[in-house]
Amino acid sequence: MSEITGILEFAYHLGFENLYDWQCRILLRYQAGDPTAAACANFTGKTSTVFPVCSLWTLYNFPRARVQYLSATGAQVRNQFFAALNRFSLHRFFAGWSWLDTEVRTPAGGFLFGRATDQSGNIEGIHDQFQSPAALLVDEAKSVRDEILDALSRCNTTFRLFMSSTGQAAGGFYQICTSKSHLWKTFRVQSCQCPHVPQSLIDADRENLKDSVFRIKHSSEWLYDAGDSMISLEHVRALIDNPPPVTPGRVTAFCDFAGSGDESVLATCEGNSARIVGEPWRHRDTMASVGKFISLFKQLRLQGFQIGGDEGYGHQLMDRMAELGYHLRRINNGSAALRDDLYVNLSAEWWSIVGQLIEHRRIIIPNDEKLIAQLTSRRKLYDSRGREKLESKADLAAHGVESPDRADALIGAIMMGIGSDPYAIGAITSLSAEIEKCTIEMRHRSSVMHF
């Protein structure tokens, strides 16, 4: 093995003397062996810079390593990635290496090979072996089929790097960047972080491109809102960029209880400020989750009457909480809406009202990308009577979108506040008459609800 082991020093000797900050951070995470994922704007240099450095560094430092580079198209494998590699074939570091169209081999038996998912043949997994670490590099991961990404997730590798441009908020790579981000080191790379992309080009594209195209090309954003979301991404971004003044008020909370593989979440709303409490968690032991909720209630000095919970999955959990002295307000999201002429059920009504509160900038919400994705990825549908309803969680899961646990908890906490006090979020009378009527009726319902 050569004396050069650090990946940044290695890149410098290859001629990458002025790596960008985000490139350095990704390379260092790769060197550390962290599963790393990056959602990138177009033309950031991932295929020409980051992937070549990672693959060659791995083989140089571990001459018997096995590296697989995978992309959705054969053209990218051959004409972009391996074309970028070939410029190093005569470098002194790689004397004796064999360079083929889609393969590189070291004298010690290590190799790098490319595969494309749009070509015939099976995509084989790769695993660490004795004195032969494995590396898995996936380019344009958003276009790799979910079943392939699922199979790759079962590979045991020392190094793993997935990078891609963005697109619709669905699929395996989108999940890696959102619902599974706790398992990865994730990055979002925008054009403004790349000095080689002229600001004049960014400004011209902002003026001339469709908003959705610009957000993918330069902002590396996932597109949650195609115009039919119950809560508009445009309105959420505008609210986060320009929130209203803080209005003090009473504290309410809401528990979203997790199903298998989902998150348990506690959210609070104090006055007009809503937030997710701590870090949501996953736990197979439901009673352990009860203990976690109780601990948070005590830390926040919450009383049972201040807290709501989804009665569906949480029925038995709230029974146990009641045994411990916390009698939560039991909310059935599938029950009839207060305005059943407008909404199919209570859940659709709550989401719609919070969407209007966001649009009119009456509340403050966290700048949390996972929360934003959940709030804005659920479509507004209609029944035969023209009433609004939410896209089902089963349909969300069918196209790769995670369960909106954080969004449900936050919306519940906000609506618990509205239900307890129509003025908890400020001058609600300035909203539509419909919202004002609903809040007054919710206050009445809260006073007669059986807990």
Side-chain angles (χ1 to χ4, degrees):
M1 184 185 298
S2 171
E3 70 280 2
I4 298 175
T5 57
I7 197 167
L8 298 185
E9 185 178 359
F10 177 82
Y12 179 86
H13 284 280
L14 290 189
F16 296 105
E17 300 178 359
N18 297 294
L19 290 172
Y20 303 151
D21 176 72
W22 66 266
Q23 293 172 332
C24 293
R25 288 187 288 119
I26 288 174
L27 292 173
L28 289 172
R29 294 274 57 83
Y30 177 84
Q31 175 182 299
D34 296 325
T36 303
C40 301
N42 295 159
F43 310 116
T44 54
K46 60 181 175 60
T47 307
S48 61
T49 301
V50 179
F51 279 123
V53 170
C54 288
S55 59
L56 294 175
W57 175 86
T58 304
L59 285 176
Y60 183 70
N61 284 280
F62 307 95
R64 296 180 59 190
R66 287 154 301 111
V67 182
Q68 176 172 293
Y69 171 85
L70 180 69
S71 182
T73 66
Q76 184 162 39
V77 172
R78 183 185 300 270
N79 300 332
Q80 296 185 42
F81 175 67
F82 276 92
L85 280 184
N86 283 335
R87 69 187 190 271
F88 303 111
S89 60
L90 300 179
H91 195 285
R92 61 184 177 86
F93 282 0
F94 314 124
W97 290 24
S98 300
W99 300 75
L100 306 176
D101 284 346
T102 58
E103 191 172 317
V104 176
R105 290 188 172 271
T106 71
F111 57 86
L112 158 68
F113 64 99
R115 292 289 184 271
T117 61
D118 66 346
Q119 297 176 342
S120 59
N122 294 328
I123 302 297
E124 299 177 355
I126 189 170
H127 302 272
D128 287 336
Q129 296 178 6
F130 179 65
Q131 294 185 344
S132 179
L136 186 57
L137 311 177
V138 180
D139 202 350
E140 281 308 304
K142 80 171 190 299
S143 301
V144 176
R145 298 192 303 274
D146 288 353
E147 61 268 25
I148 294 177
L149 291 179
D150 183 61
L152 296 178
S153 71
R154 296 190 290 273
C155 294
N156 181 24
T157 64
T158 300
F159 304 106
R160 188 176 301 246
L161 175 62
F162 289 15
M163 301 181 76
S164 181
S165 57
T166 55
Q168 290 298 320
F173 184 65
Y174 164 74
Q175 290 182 313
I176 286 172
C177 294
T178 54
S179 63
K180 297 180 181 179
S181 61
H182 60 290
L183 302 175
W184 295 71
K185 298 295 184 181
T186 58
F187 295 85
R188 176 185 171 200
V189 181
Q190 303 180 72
S191 293
C192 60
Q193 297 171 260
C194 305
H196 69 273
V197 180
Q199 184 62 45
S200 59
L201 174 62
I202 298 174
D203 293 340
D205 283 349
R206 181 180 286 109
E207 181 72 22
N208 298 318
L209 294 179
K210 290 177 59 177
D211 179 64
S212 59
V213 176
F214 179 87
R215 282 156 44 200
I216 291 174
K217 181 177 180 180
H218 291 292
S219 299
S220 61
E221 292 184 24
W222 295 100
L223 300 184
Y224 306 115
D225 187 0
D228 57 356
S229 296
M230 183 66 83
I231 298 177
S232 165
L233 176 61
E234 180 183 358
H235 295 156
V236 171
R237 295 289 188 201
L239 173 66
I240 289 173
D241 290 342
N242 186 24
V246 173
T247 301
R250 68 175 66 193
V251 177
T252 55
F254 196 89
C255 302
D256 188 79
F257 303 105
S260 178
D262 295 332
E263 290 183 325
S264 293
V265 187
L266 176 65
T268 62
C269 185
E270 181 174 1
N272 69 338
S273 300
R275 68 183 181 99
I276 303 297
V277 178
E279 186 65 27
W281 67 94
R282 291 174 171 85
H283 206 297
R284 293 183 179 180
D285 184 346
T286 55
M287 289 302 107
S289 284
V290 168
K292 175 77 170 180
F293 276 117
I294 295 295
S295 174
L296 293 174
F297 297 163
K298 292 179 178 178
Q299 291 176 32
L300 298 173
R301 299 184 178 181
L302 292 171
Q303 303 289 324
F305 70 88
Q306 297 173 278
I307 313 165
D310 179 11
E311 191 174 33
Y313 187 80
H315 181 80
Q316 293 182 338
L317 282 73
M318 287 191 284
D319 284 347
R320 176 57 179 154
M321 291 177 177
E323 293 173 359
L324 299 171
Y326 288 90
H327 298 271
L328 274 62
R329 300 184 180 186
R330 301 187 181 221
I331 306 299
N332 183 350
N333 286 324
S335 63
L338 293 173
R339 290 294 306 272
D340 62 0
D341 58 325
L342 298 176
Y343 307 103
V344 168
N345 56 29
L346 185 67
S347 181
E349 187 172 41
W350 279 22
W351 276 67
S352 180
I353 290 174
V354 170
Q356 294 177 64
L357 295 172
I358 288 172
E359 179 182 0
H360 291 273
R361 297 180 52 255
R362 297 299 182 188
I363 54 177
I364 300 170
I365 64 174
N367 186 7
D368 175 348
E369 284 299 321
K370 186 179 288 191
L371 171 66
I372 293 169
Q374 292 180 8
L375 285 170
T376 60
S377 62
R378 206 165 183 185
R379 289 187 300 155
K380 179 196 298 184
L381 305 174
Y382 297 90
D383 71 356
S384 60
R385 292 171 53 188
R387 299 181 301 173
E388 293 181 11
K389 66 178 183 178
L390 282 169
E391 182 179 17
S392 72
K393 293 184 179 180
D395 287 342
L396 287 174
H399 55 263
V401 178
E402 66 180 323
S403 177
D405 306 310
R406 299 187 186 199
D408 279 337
L410 193 85
I411 287 170
I414 292 169
M415 294 306 295
M416 290 286 294
I418 294 174
S420 301
D421 181 355
Y423 301 98
I425 60 166
I428 197 160
T429 53
S430 65
L431 295 178
S432 67
E434 174 191 332
I435 296 179
E436 183 176 358
K437 180 178 180 180
C438 285
T439 58
I440 294 172
E441 290 176 349
M442 284 179 189
R443 183 184 185 188
H444 174 70
R445 170 181 277 190
S446 296
S447 67
V448 300
M449 189 179 296
H450 174 69
F451 306 118

